[in-house]
Amino acid sequence: MGTAMAISFRSLVRKATPKKQLLLKIIKRTIILFVLGLFINSSGGHNDVSTLRIPGVLQRFAAAYLVTALLELLFAQAEPYYEDVWWRCVQDLVVYWPEWFINLALVAVYLVVTFGIQIPDSTNCPMGYTGPGGISENGNYANCTGGIAGYIDRWLLGTAHVYQHGTAQKTYQTTVAYDPEGILGTITTIFICFLGLHAGKIIITYKSHRGRIIRWLIWAVFLGSIALLLTKCSQNDGWIPINKNLWSLSFVLANGSLAFILLSVCYLTIDVWHIWSGAPFFYPGMNSIFLYLGHEVLGGYFPVQINVPKTHAAKLAMNLWGAAFWVIVSVYMHYKNVFITI
């Protein structure tokens, strides 16, 4: 999302597209994403408004897109390149310092709230707790699932409107509802979207292949090093462990590092060396939201999914087929010139 946003916004700014028109486009796309997310949440008969889950994947995409796009609307430049300045080698940072300041401020707010605020009316949930609760840690924090992040969702949205079947429920026998796409984790989602936006800014700012790839790899090493530091190079320990359900800062930085590496590899093989066209993976990207909706709605039906023995090999084969099915659909849509965008 972020990388393409940098390129598309520069094109719109070059065309002198009125900011009011861009603002309306941003708001429209945000609303569509959010409503589609609610549509997915209501599938399978879960359409009782008194218990409808409000957060979700597309809802979080909507929030991340809204914030990142509004910042880009304010600070995007048509020609963000300055030749005769001493800071030209880091101008992708200098020119867009307001965006960096705001995003780092949001990350700071996330850290303060996560680790510096005590859960109100709680006698056994320590400040900064980010564990699963339930029977973990000898059951000492049974009702503390997700820490302050879980509390904020239950307080603002209501317990009935968050995810009721979290991944920790079976393993740790948790009894408190926790939503992995909740409000607090949206802040770190915004940050990783912004990192993608910055990857795109490197493309539009520096013209040489070498300049782009070196900067991407520097960011990969930098983000990965911070993630390793925060986790103390451990799997489950450290100051801030990698946690997908919480979208912890270390999780976001580790994913950002890997994304910069993957972008560099794809750029080299596709755009520099011309040894790969990117197929078949670029096909799904042309109808990504449609394919996601299709999988969410039809993922449990034949031929997308069939019952298989409960073995690792069988489940792996089934999931590989599920992904391949939608790739095939995307290829068909491409050759039929069917592109569904929002």
Side-chain angles (χ1 to χ4, degrees), residues 171-184:
T171 304
Y172 297 102
Q173 300 176 26
T174 58
T175 58
V176 178
Y178 175 76
D179 204 304
E181 277 81 45
I183 296 171
L184 190 59

Side-chain angles (χ1 to χ4, degrees), residues 51-73:
T51 57
L52 178 65
R53 180 192 176 199
I54 296 176
V57 173
L58 292 183
Q59 293 91 316
R60 182 169 281 192
F61 277 9
Y65 170 77
L66 175 64
V67 174
T68 308
L70 287 177
L71 288 176
E72 189 65 359
L73 176 64

Side-chain angles (χ1 to χ4, degrees), residues 37-232:
L38 292 179
F39 167 75
I40 290 174
N41 287 355
S42 68
S43 63
H46 302 290
N47 53 4
D48 186 342
V49 294
S50 65
T51 57
L52 178 65
R53 180 192 176 199
I54 296 176
V57 173
L58 292 183
Q59 293 91 316
R60 182 169 281 192
F61 277 9
Y65 170 77
L66 175 64
V67 174
T68 308
L70 287 177
L71 288 176
E72 189 65 359
L73 176 64
L74 291 173
F75 301 111
Q77 298 188 25
E79 300 296 337
Y81 187 75
Y82 299 85
E83 183 67 42
D84 301 321
V85 292
W86 63 267
W87 40 265
R88 63 181 178 273
C89 62
V90 291
Q91 59 185 289
D92 52 307
L93 296 172
V94 176
V95 172
Y96 298 103
W97 72 264
E99 294 185 43
W100 275 101
F101 177 82
I102 293 171
N103 272 274
L104 291 177
L106 287 174
V107 172
V109 169
Y110 168 85
L111 292 173
V112 169
V113 172
T114 300
F115 298 104
I117 295 182
Q118 177 70 45
I119 297 177
D121 304 321
S122 173
T123 58
N124 70 322
C125 298
M127 186 167 61
Y129 181 78
T130 57
I135 63 173
S136 68
E137 297 158 299
N138 299 317
N140 293 326
Y141 313 117
N143 297 320
C144 305
T145 303
I148 192 69
Y151 172 82
I152 290 173
D153 292 337
R154 295 188 293 271
W155 175 52
L156 290 178
L157 304 177
T159 301
H161 294 289
V162 300
Y163 194 48
Q164 303 295 316
H165 308 289
T167 54
Q169 190 176 69
K170 183 177 180 180
T171 304
Y172 297 102
Q173 300 176 26
T174 58
T175 58
V176 178
Y178 175 76
D179 204 304
E181 277 81 45
I183 296 171
L184 190 59
T186 301
I187 295 178
T188 44
T189 306
I190 293 170
F191 185 61
I192 198 170
C193 184
F194 173 71
L195 290 175
L197 177 69
H198 188 70
K201 290 184 185 299
I202 290 174
I203 293 176
I204 64 177
T205 303
Y206 304 101
K207 306 306 178 184
S208 71
H209 296 318
R210 183 173 179 271
R212 293 169 177 174
I213 293 169
I214 286 177
R215 285 172 175 85
W216 288 333
L217 293 179
I218 288 174
W219 276 108
V221 173
F222 179 67
L223 296 175
S225 298
I226 298 177
L228 289 172
L229 177 65
L230 292 176
T231 60
K232 296 183 180 180

